Amino acid sequence: MNVVVICLDTMRTDMVHTFGTDFIRTPVLDNLAAESVVFTEAYGCAYPTIPVRRALFTGMDSFPWRFGYDTLGSSPSPRGWHKIPPEHTPVAERLVEAGVNTGFIADTYHMFKATMNFTRGFCSWDFVRGQEFDHWKTLPPGAVDPTKHTDAALDSPRMTGMLQYLWNQGERTKEDDFQAARVFLSAMDWVENNASYGPFYLYIDSFDPHEPWDPPLHYADAYFKDDSVKDYIWPVGTEVEGAAAIERTKALYYGEVTFVDTWIGHFLDKLEALHLLEDTVIIFTSDHGTELLDRNRFGKSEDHLQWFNTRINMFIRHPDKQHAGKRLDAFVQHQDVPPTVLDLFGVAYQGLDGTSMWPLVTGEREKNRDFIVAGWGQHATVRDHDFNYVIDFEQGPRKTDSGGFTVTQETAAQHVQEELYNLRDDPQETKNVLESEPEAALKQRARLEGFLEQELPARLDDRVDTYEYPRRVHAKTSPHMKNIT
């Protein structure tokens, strides 16, 4: 038995028909869902990119934040954005010890930064260069035009980032040159070269459909086309104004989703041509979603921990198809993937925070947990089947002498966020019922405090600024340089 894990970045769950919209073209993932067990209540334990993948690689919780590792030189470096701790054993290392061939292919460039060390345990790996701010290429002046995609000032950081991305992509001539295509073409080469070196474990990580939303244009044109507006391929933090511009921006995301779906299809076709689908388990997941004006903006961030940002895809397709079409509402999370993989390979393990999902599939167990807790920055979400509770755990609420909760004058001035959504009455999470459901809020707060092992407001030991570095002194002001002209 082989196992392939496919992870997509920024893939909303409602892009697949199993969960939502019926106009998005994802025939490959729709078919994969039909042949899989689909977990309808799948979430992360920590967000965004790097905390997610640390859980996917180790089976250990990434939250609460607890490791204050040096991230000097790593950008970005938000809460929990650090390497796999040396004391955590990646699933690939466990599999190699058991005689499994391991491969890793990704264009999620954050994983390959010098401080991260995600390649541990892989017999072979391929870093597909060129995504986002990856410092890969430069082109001659005038070779690309960032103003086609942004209204930012020429000397702004946004324009600089756009320029780097366009340099990386500036020599594309065909669809095969686009990022997701290159990732899955590499994966197709890998399975062809390694088909005889089984059993194998292949982890594929596509940064698409993360922004920039820059698919081959015919994919976006199929949803909406208007030559009078710019292609705002990087709309996060930008005011996209006008109905046509908004629809075109959404079309760019939809097109990117369909583009990635197409190339997952090519990869699965390769597995079928090599007769590998007959003995390969496919696990399909994602790291988080994104907002398409759900809360009047594009993008995602820690202060909007509703389903569109936090719910993830989680499909398991077993080649015997005995459980095809099953839908399970048991709570599962990213850290459950490694123990599931180890279970499927029959490799013994202990000491993981995650719990195998396979007994849920076979019916040996009904649930892994009663609720989920996840962190993003200094915010946390506590979710069960009835309520989603969201709070800035560092700022409040603060307990009163009577044992109740209040927001102090200090925290109110900082716009402390505390929200509660009744999921039975309001599955889209649009109405904050914190005041009308005080008992439910107290229950979720207590769960969070138990998980963090401290009362709110909480302080977590994860600061990356615990190291002191010598200041670089400019030559003009250094006393050691005063005699040098």
Side-chain angles (χ1 to χ4, degrees), residues 332-393:
V332 296
Q333 296 182 274
H334 286 125
Q335 70 271 28
D336 297 333
V337 171
T340 304
V341 171
L342 293 168
D343 257 7
L344 291 166
F345 279 113
V347 176
Y349 60 91
Q350 59 182 1
L352 300 185
D353 292 327
T355 304
S356 175
M357 296 179 283
W358 196 243
L360 300 173
V361 176
T362 61
E364 299 170 61
R365 191 166 59 242
E366 290 186 359
K367 59 184 179 180
N368 285 351
R369 51 185 64 84
D370 293 318
F371 60 93
I372 65 103
V373 177
W376 193 331
Q378 64 188 57
H379 288 76
T381 169
V382 184
R383 180 185 293 269
D384 57 25
H385 292 298
D386 297 313
F387 292 95
N388 177 29
Y389 175 73
V390 179
I391 188 163
D392 180 332
F393 60 80

Side-chain angles (χ1 to χ4, degrees), residues 177-484:
D177 297 330
F178 283 70
Q179 290 292 141
R182 293 169 58 216
V183 169
F184 287 102
L185 282 168
S186 179
M188 291 159 68
D189 287 343
W190 192 94
V191 294
E192 188 162 19
N193 293 333
N194 288 271
S196 300
Y197 299 130
F200 65 73
Y201 169 69
L202 176 61
Y203 180 91
I204 307 168
D205 203 301
S206 171
F207 200 56
D208 288 338
H210 189 288
E211 61 274 2
W213 296 336
D214 181 34
L217 287 181
H218 68 272
Y219 287 99
D221 293 347
Y223 292 100
F224 183 83
K225 187 177 187 298
D226 189 330
D227 293 332
S228 69
V229 297
K230 291 184 179 182
D231 281 345
Y232 291 100
I233 62 176
W234 214 319
V236 179
T238 297
E239 291 292 331
V240 179
E241 298 179 346
I246 288 171
E247 288 307 307
R248 179 60 176 177
T249 301
K250 290 181 178 180
L252 291 169
Y253 178 73
Y254 300 150
E256 187 114 304
V257 166
T258 299
F259 170 53
V260 177
D261 180 85
T262 299
W263 280 92
I264 293 175
H266 293 326
F267 171 72
L268 296 179
D269 288 345
K270 172 62 76 171
L271 290 182
E272 185 172 27
L274 296 171
H275 306 290
L276 290 172
L277 277 181
E278 301 166 4
D279 54 10
T280 299
V281 176
I282 308 291
I283 299 177
F284 171 71
T285 190
S286 54
D287 63 351
H288 52 69
T290 191
E291 295 182 52
L292 300 174
L293 300 187
D294 300 83
R295 295 293 187 273
N296 299 315
R297 69 182 184 188
F298 289 105
K300 74 279 179 184
S301 66
E302 63 178 272
D303 59 334
H304 287 185
L305 297 186
Q306 287 80 47
W307 69 269
F308 42 78
N309 279 332
T310 62
R311 192 168 69 188
I312 62 172
N313 298 278
M314 190 70 76
F315 307 167
I316 303 179
R317 179 197 181 277
H318 196 283
D320 67 14
K321 298 185 181 179
Q322 180 180 351
H323 305 287
K326 184 179 288 189
R327 300 292 180 267
L328 298 177
D329 66 356
F331 286 114
V332 296
Q333 296 182 274
H334 286 125
Q335 70 271 28
D336 297 333
V337 171
T340 304
V341 171
L342 293 168
D343 257 7
L344 291 166
F345 279 113
V347 176
Y349 60 91
Q350 59 182 1
L352 300 185
D353 292 327
T355 304
S356 175
M357 296 179 283
W358 196 243
L360 300 173
V361 176
T362 61
E364 299 170 61
R365 191 166 59 242
E366 290 186 359
K367 59 184 179 180
N368 285 351
R369 51 185 64 84
D370 293 318
F371 60 93
I372 65 103
V373 177
W376 193 331
Q378 64 188 57
H379 288 76
T381 169
V382 184
R383 180 185 293 269
D384 57 25
H385 292 298
D386 297 313
F387 292 95
N388 177 29
Y389 175 73
V390 179
I391 188 163
D392 180 332
F393 60 80
E394 285 199 342
Q395 297 297 332
R398 301 183 187 274
K399 286 188 175 179
T400 64
D401 293 338
S402 61
F405 286 84
T406 187
V407 176
T408 67
Q409 188 174 22
E410 173 192 359
T411 57
Q414 298 178 33
H415 304 289
V416 170
Q417 176 183 357
E418 187 179 20
E419 302 166 58
L420 184 73
Y421 298 96
N422 186 325
L423 303 177
R424 303 293 187 185
D425 298 338
D426 179 25
Q428 294 300 306
E429 304 177 44
T430 61
K431 183 180 180 181
N432 184 0
V433 295
L434 184 70
E435 293 185 5
S436 61
E437 299 276 4
E439 294 302 317
L442 284 170
K443 180 180 179 179
Q444 302 296 62
R445 288 177 193 141
R447 285 171 164 174
L448 178 59
E449 290 183 329
F451 186 81
L452 298 178
E453 297 182 339
Q454 57 180 295
E455 294 184 349
L456 300 179
R459 294 292 182 268
L460 303 184
D461 183 22
D462 74 317
R463 295 300 187 181
V464 298
D465 56 358
T466 55
Y467 298 82
E468 293 185 2
Y469 300 96
R471 292 177 177 268
R472 293 177 179 174
V473 183
H474 194 280
K476 288 184 178 179
T477 60
S478 170
H480 304 292
M481 303 293 288
K482 63 182 180 180
N483 295 322
I484 298 177

Side-chain angles (χ1 to χ4, degrees), residues 122-148:
F122 287 101
C123 300
S124 58
W125 51 273
D126 182 17
F127 174 16
V128 179
R129 299 293 304 272
Q131 268 290 7
E132 206 185 38
F133 296 144
D134 180 15
H135 298 293
W136 184 36
K137 290 184 178 182
T138 55
L139 296 179
V144 297
D145 182 7
T147 63
K148 292 181 178 179

